[in-house]
Amino acid sequence: MLSTEKSCKPENSISNRTVALIVATLASFFTPFMASAINIAIPAIGSQFAADVILLSWIPTVYLLAAAVFAVPFGRIADIYGMKKIFTYGVIIFTISSLLCAISPSILTLIMFRVLQGIGSAMIFVTGLAIITSVYPPRERGKAIGINIASVYIGLSLGPVLGGILTQYFGWRSIFIAVIPLGLLVLALTVFKLKGEWAECIGEKFDIKGSIIYSIALVILIYGFSILPGELGIILVILGVIGILAFALFELRVKNPVFEVRLFKNITFGFSSLAALINYSATFAVVFLLSLYLQYIKGLDPQMAGIILVAQPIVMAITSPVAGRLSDKFSPGLIATIGMTVTAISLLCLTFLTANTSFEYIITVLLVLGFGLGMFSSPNTNAIMGSVEKKFYGIASATVGTMRLIGQMLSMGIALLVFSVFIGNVLIEPSNYPALLTSINTVFLICTILCFIGIFASFARR
C-alpha cells in the first residue's frame, strides 16, 4: 500500500481526483437514497407485516445504530490498512445486504439485514470523504466536498419520489433491488479505475478494547433512549453515558487509540463536530414525521407524499456546492452558522402543523429548510476536515459520519420517545390520528429548541 506522503502521488493526479470524486459521490448517493426511500415505504411495510409504529421505527433506527457503532472503528482501520480497501469492502457488504433485505420473509429478518446494511454504510461513509480530502488540495477541497454532499441530498431528494413510485407500483422490496446495480457500478469503478491507496498509519496497532467499549456503550445508550420513559430506559441511558465517559478516559491512556479524543481540544474540530451532531439530531426525523403526517393525516398515497417531500433535498442539492465554494473563500463557520439559523426558523414553522395545513405552506417551509441545511453541511464538513493533520483524515471522516449518524439516531430516538408517550405500542388507526398529530408537533418543537442551541455551538468555533 502507498502512503500519500511517501509515494510519487499518481493517485493525486487530476484524472484520479476525478475518479475518486465520482466513486465517492455515487456511493454517497445510494446510501441516503436508501434511507429516505425506505421512510416513505414504512406504512406499506407495516401493512404487510402487521407491525406497530414502534417496531416500524426500528427499520431506519437499527440501520443508523449499526452505522454509528462501526463508523469510528472502521475509520481507524482505514487509516491503518487503507481507505480504498475498506471502501471496497463496504460497497460489497452494502450491495449484498440490499439483496437480503429485498427477500426478507419477516420484519425481524428485515431489521437484521438492515443492521448489516448499516455496517456497509459505515465503511463507505468514513472512507469516501477521507479519500476526497486526501486527493484534493485545500484550495479545491470545499468545492469537492460540496459536490459530494450535494450527491447526498440528491439521493435524499430522489428517495421519496422514486421510493414512492416503486412502493406504489412494484412494492417496497423493489427499493432495495434498485440500488444493487449502482452498487455494482461503484464496485467496478473502484477496483478497476481508482488508482493508489491512502493509509497514513501503516503498522500501528488497532485498539480492539477501545472499540468494544465504544460499541457496547453506544448500543446501551441508544437502546435505552428508545425505551424511555420506562425505568429500564433510564437505567440504560445512565449506563450508556458512563460507558462513553469510560471510553474517553480509556482512549487517553492508549498509545494508538481507536479514536483520538485529544482532537476535541481543537476548537474548530470540537465545536464543528458538536454543531453537526445537533443539526442532524434536529433535522433527520423530518422526512419520517412528514411521511406519516402526509399519508395518515392528509390521506396521500406514497407517490404524492414523496413528491411533496422532494422539495427540501432538491434545494439542499443546489445550495450545497455553492456553500462549499464559499467556504473555500470565506469563514466556513460563519456560513454554517447562517445555515443553522435558517434551519431553526424553518423547524419552528413546522411546529404549527394541523390537519388543515395547506400543502403550499408545507412545501414553502421545506424549501427554506433545504436552503438552511445546504448552507450548513458543506462548510461545516470542510471546517472539520481542514482542521486536522493527514494522519487523522480517516478518524476525522469517521467523526463527521459518527456525528451525522448519532445525530440521526437521536433524532429518531426523540420521535420514538414522543410516540411511546402519546400513542403507545399500537397500530396507527384513524382513532389515534389526533395523538399522532400531537406527537409530530411535539417532536418538531423539541427539534427547534435543539437547533437554536446549535446556533451558539456553530458560532463559537469562529
Side-chain angles (χ1 to χ4, degrees):
M1 285 180 281
L2 296 175
S3 167
T4 54
E5 292 293 328
K6 298 178 181 180
S7 70
C8 58
K9 300 184 180 181
E11 66 270 26
N12 288 355
S13 65
I14 295 177
S15 61
N16 207 52
R17 287 182 203 165
T18 303
V19 174
L21 182 59
I22 291 173
V23 167
T25 298
L26 287 175
S28 296
F29 166 83
F30 62 67
T31 46
F33 168 83
M34 176 58 65
S36 62
I38 205 64
N39 274 334
I40 207 74
I42 282 176
I45 296 173
S47 176
Q48 177 171 345
F49 293 127
D52 59 67
V53 66
I54 302 299
L55 191 59
L56 287 174
S57 298
W58 276 104
I59 295 174
T61 301
V62 295
Y63 172 83
L64 298 174
L65 177 59
V69 166
F70 286 93
V72 167
F74 276 120
R76 177 61 178 160
I77 291 172
D79 280 334
I80 298 174
Y81 297 104
M83 305 286 179
K84 178 182 174 181
K85 180 179 293 185
I86 301 304
F87 180 85
T88 302
Y89 290 153
V91 174
I92 293 173
I93 291 173
F94 185 90
T95 305
I96 292 175
S97 60
S98 296
L99 175 61
L100 294 175
C101 287
I103 60 176
S104 296
S106 69
I107 191 166
L108 293 180
T109 55
L110 174 60
I111 291 173
M112 181 179 66
F113 292 139
R114 285 284 284 171
V115 172
L116 185 61
Q117 199 174 42
I119 295 173
S121 294
M123 300 169 74
I124 294 170
F125 278 135
V126 302
T127 50
L129 180 60
I131 290 173
I132 291 176
T133 306
S134 297
V135 301
Y136 277 90
R139 66 182 181 275
E140 299 178 16
R141 189 174 296 153
K143 179 180 68 177
I145 289 174
I147 293 172
N148 183 256
I149 292 179
S151 73
V152 173
Y153 295 149
I154 292 173
L156 288 171
S157 66
L158 289 181
V161 176
L162 294 183
I165 294 174
L166 289 171
T167 300
Q168 186 164 337
Y169 294 104
F170 303 101
W172 61 266
R173 297 177 190 274
S174 62
I175 295 176
F176 294 103
I177 296 174
V179 301
I180 295 175
L182 190 56
L184 294 175
L185 174 61
V186 171
L187 181 61
L189 289 174
T190 304
V191 173
F192 298 110
K193 294 294 184 181
L194 185 60
K195 307 299 181 183
E197 181 59 283
W198 299 268
E200 295 291 332
C201 302
I202 297 175
E204 294 185 5
K205 293 183 178 180
F206 177 68
D207 178 17
I208 297 178
K209 291 182 180 179
S211 299
I212 294 174
I213 294 172
Y214 169 81
S215 300
I216 293 175
L218 194 59
V219 170
I220 291 175
L221 177 65
I222 298 304
Y223 179 70
F225 195 84
S226 72
I227 60 175
L228 288 174
E231 182 178 336
L232 178 60
I234 296 174
I235 294 173
L236 290 178
V237 167
I238 294 173
L239 290 176
V241 171
I242 294 174
I244 294 296
L245 293 175
F247 166 74
L249 293 174
F250 179 83
E251 292 299 278
L252 290 173
R253 300 180 180 181
V254 177
K255 182 180 179 180
N256 296 310
V258 68
F259 187 87
E260 184 53 77
V261 179
R262 294 177 183 86
L263 286 176
F264 285 100
K265 292 182 178 180
N266 180 321
I267 296 297
T268 300
F269 181 89
F271 278 103
S272 296
S273 299
L274 177 61
L277 175 64
I278 293 174
N279 185 269
Y280 287 110
S281 297
T283 59
F284 180 74
V286 169
V287 173
F288 174 73
L289 295 170
L290 289 181
S291 173
L292 296 177
Y293 170 80
L294 292 172
Q295 294 185 66
Y296 287 119
I297 307 297
K298 304 295 280 187
L300 299 183
D301 59 41
Q303 181 178 349
M304 286 305 301
I307 291 174
I308 290 177
L309 292 175
V310 78
Q312 171 196 325
I314 280 182
V315 176
M316 292 160 67
I318 295 172
T319 306
S320 184
V322 177
R325 288 190 179 222
L326 290 174
S327 71
D328 284 332
K329 300 179 180 179
F330 306 102
S331 167
L334 178 60
I335 299 170
T337 301
I338 294 172
M340 183 78 84
T341 303
V342 174
T343 300
I345 294 172
S346 59
L347 287 173
L348 179 61
C349 294
L350 288 175
T351 63
F352 300 107
L353 290 179
T354 68
N356 298 319
T357 300
S358 69
F359 293 122
E360 290 80 6
Y361 177 87
I362 297 171
I363 293 172
T364 301
V365 174
L366 287 175
L367 292 173
V368 177
L369 177 61
F371 176 78
L373 290 174
M375 288 294 291
F376 171 81
S377 297
S378 297
N380 194 70
T381 302
N382 194 18
I384 293 175
M385 298 304 296
S387 66
V388 301
E389 303 173 38
K390 283 188 176 181
K391 67 177 182 177
F392 294 126
Y393 280 170
I395 201 62
S397 179
T399 301
V400 173
T402 301
M403 293 300 104
R404 177 176 63 243
L405 292 165
I406 292 179
Q408 292 173 340
M409 203 160 36
L410 288 175
S411 191
M412 291 302 300
I414 292 170
L416 284 171
L417 174 58
V418 173
F419 282 172
S420 67
V421 172
F422 287 97
I423 302 178
N425 194 18
V426 298
L427 296 175
I428 298 179
E429 298 175 345
S431 61
N432 52 38
Y433 282 0
L436 174 63
L437 184 56
T438 300
S439 300
I440 292 172
N441 290 335
T442 303
V443 176
F444 279 133
L445 178 60
I446 295 172
C447 291
T448 300
I449 295 172
L450 278 175
C451 216
F452 272 109
I453 295 173
I455 294 173
F456 297 100
S458 183
F459 187 77
R461 44 87 181 278
R462 293 181 61 200

